[in-house]
Amino acid sequence: MCGICGCGESGSPKKWVPVSQANALLLTPSHSHSHTHRVEESDDQHRLIQMEVDLLSKNNAYAEKNRAYFKAHGIFVLNLVSSPGAGKTTLLVETIKALASHFPISVIEGDQQTEHDAQRIRATGARALQINTGRVCHLEAQGIAQAVAQLGVEDKSFLAIENVGNLVCPSAFDLGEAHKVVVLSVTEGDDKPIKYADMFYAADLMIINKMDLLPYVDFDVARCIAFAKQVNPSIEIITLSTTKGDNFAQWTAWLQNAMQAATHSPEL
Amino acid sequence: MHELSLLDNVRTILEEHARSQQFEIVDKITLEIGALSCIESEALRFAFDTVMNNSLAQHAQLTIKHIAGQGRCVACGKMTPMRELYDTCLHCGHFQLDILSGLEMKITELEVR
């Protein structure tokens, strides 16, 4: 909602509105106007501009364009996030092996450096494009639009975006995905959901990976799930082992169900 | 350090507004940052001068208004203050709170010439 006039509209400002017009608009119940209101001008050319522009507005605009494109082309998109080393790439490799016969799969890999992850994905036969973010710690929506075009992502397909391994920064940047999936492994701390609450708040599914290593580490699964639910009561949870295959079918079933739900709903 | 990316976005927004609203210099920028947003105000302040260097806001003064977090409990319906996303209802201890404020991160005011 616009906090200046309370009109209930949002979005980035389009044009300047003189104060007289802005005041007039305030009195009109149904109106359409810019969210920039010029309120004061003094003789020495100083003036005050009031506005409501989200710091993420540029990224969010690209994300919405991506989302519309994905919807129009029947592309189901997941944004995978985790700390470095939680097992995202291995999870994707095994997912491609399990589901490649069902629908086309492509992967956008985000890492600060190297082509290593994209090479691992390409070895499965799936299309993959590596984005090297350099010093930047997350992927942004504009880069995804370019990658999708470059990769030639097929219609009616599954696109996985493997974000930079980082539980902080990627939480804020919508890429146009249907769901954020956060991967946590049992070799990490079980309190990560409250240590990095922004990410677990933003995710729809938490995968607890490397469950085969549970006997060797000090990780309390119930405690981890309780923390995740405390941050985000609606988060779904799957515990699995990618390398041993335990419970892996629950993840592929979740993915297929989510894909079907997204493809058949007005909002992808 | 996503604050750098967000400040880069601020710089772009300022440049767009300078063209559409015909100003050349920004003297003051006011941001509203919610307590539950993913932004660290100190990191914003730290990076501000670097990102704005050689821009129309290179000498601008940054003001950050902090917005307190507040939620409504889904279970008991009462309002409760929130300092963290995982805070529980102050009245009944329930986890599920609808966040009413605290997620803001926006530019609210510019002083320009």
Side-chain angles (χ1 to χ4, degrees), chain A residues 5 17-27 33 36-39:
Chain A
C5 67
V17 176
V19 67
S20 55
Q21 192 186 342
N23 285 341
L25 289 167
L26 291 176
L27 303 171
H33 67 86
T36 301
H37 307 259
R38 175 174 158 184
V39 294

Side-chain angles (χ1 to χ4, degrees), chain A residues 119 190 261:
Chain A
Q119 286 162 358
D190 52 23

Side-chain angles (χ1 to χ4, degrees), chain A residues 47 49 51 53 55 58, chain B residues 9 21 105 107-108 110 112:
Chain A
R47 60 189 209 261
I49 299 174
M51 59 198 334
V53 182
L55 298 198
K58 192 175 128 202
Chain B
N9 194 26
Q21 301 185 49
M105 39 180 175
I107 310 174
T108 55
L110 301 178
V112 301

